[in-house]
Amino acid sequence: MGLKLGDKFPDFKANTTEGEIESFYEWIGEGNWAILFSHPADFTPVCTTELARAAILHGQFEQRKTKLIALSCDSVEAHEKWSPDIVAYCYRHSKTPEGAKWCPMDGDCHKGKEAEEMPFPIIADEKRELATLLGMLDPDEKDSEGIPLAARAVFIIDPSRRLKLSFLYPATTGRNFE
Ligand code: BEZ
């Protein structure tokens, strides 16, 4: 599709780990920013660590009125099976800059209660419809069935729903959320 900076980001419907989103715009809500970032597939090591870092940092995005939403080209059922791996990674790799254990999930671990859920939704795009709409398919990288993989994309969308930043790079390149 070739979204350019300043373009209106498309509104869309999506099935996610937090249920059906009827309108992406409504999900973002008034006055918020949004970051939509994509992953080629569930249960892959780099995607797992990227999602975990985003989960660990989600409170900082929230403080800045920024909603996070991920997309991976698998089903909601697959995402739900994968999420505990991501959360487990959060617990093993979450440290404050001072080195103390820090809770990635809204302070739950401080109360002796382990969070089991991701703090933001993951879109199920198993038919790659959104990946196609948003121009995220990588013609050079194919899955085991020969279907193009979704690249890793990041879109930052401002409160007026305009695209302020985009990154697009191949599945073989990991992403640092710090
Ligand atoms: C990964 O997240 O580890 C990955 C996903 C797709 C292709 C290569 C690596």
Side-chain angles (χ1 to χ4, degrees):
M1 184 173 94
L3 272 175
K4 297 190 297 302
L5 292 185
D7 281 355
K8 202 84 170 166
F9 201 79
D11 197 9
F12 57 81
K13 287 185 188 189
N15 199 12
T16 82
T17 47
E18 294 184 5
E20 202 74 42
I21 289 179
E22 281 301 317
S23 154
F24 181 54
Y25 286 4
E26 278 176 28
W27 177 83
I28 297 173
E30 282 306 305
N32 293 324
W33 291 67
I35 301 182
L36 188 160
F37 52 101
S38 69
H39 304 271
D42 294 2
F43 302 103
T44 50
V46 176
C47 298
T48 304
T49 57
E50 288 175 345
L51 274 161
R53 287 316 291 175
I56 289 166
L57 295 169
H58 90 277
Q60 298 194 31
F61 287 109
E62 212 168 70
Q63 282 169 18
R64 292 162 178 80
K65 291 183 68 86
T66 302
K67 296 185 75 175
L68 298 180
I69 189 161
L71 177 154
S72 181
C73 293
D74 283 301
S75 64
V76 166
E77 293 72 29
H79 294 350
E80 281 168 352
K81 285 192 189 133
W82 181 34
S83 292
D85 289 1
I86 302 167
V87 172
Y89 185 93
C90 289
Y91 280 104
R92 268 188 228 120
H93 298 270
S94 56
K95 301 268 184 209
T96 61
E98 297 78 39
K101 181 93 176 84
W102 174 70
C103 177
M105 304 289 185
D106 293 331
D108 281 351
C109 68
H110 292 305
K111 297 174 206 145
K113 188 179 120 210
E114 294 242 326
E116 283 159 14
E117 288 177 11
M118 289 292 292
F120 52 80
I122 308 174
I123 295 171
D125 191 29
E126 66 264 58
K127 293 189 185 146
R128 291 162 167 74
E129 285 167 351
L130 262 178
T132 304
L133 173 74
L134 298 173
M136 301 190 302
L137 291 185
D138 184 337
D140 290 337
E141 295 279 344
K142 308 260 169 49
D143 68 11
S144 55
E145 287 157 24
I147 301 170
L149 280 177
R152 294 180 204 278
V154 181
F155 298 105
I156 300 186
I157 301 141
D158 78 3
S160 70
R161 318 310 189 214
R162 291 192 186 279
L163 181 68
K164 298 303 273 190
L165 174 148
S166 70
F167 292 136
L168 184 65
Y169 41 101
T172 46
T173 306
R175 175 166 43 197
N176 186 344
F177 274 88
E178 304 301 312

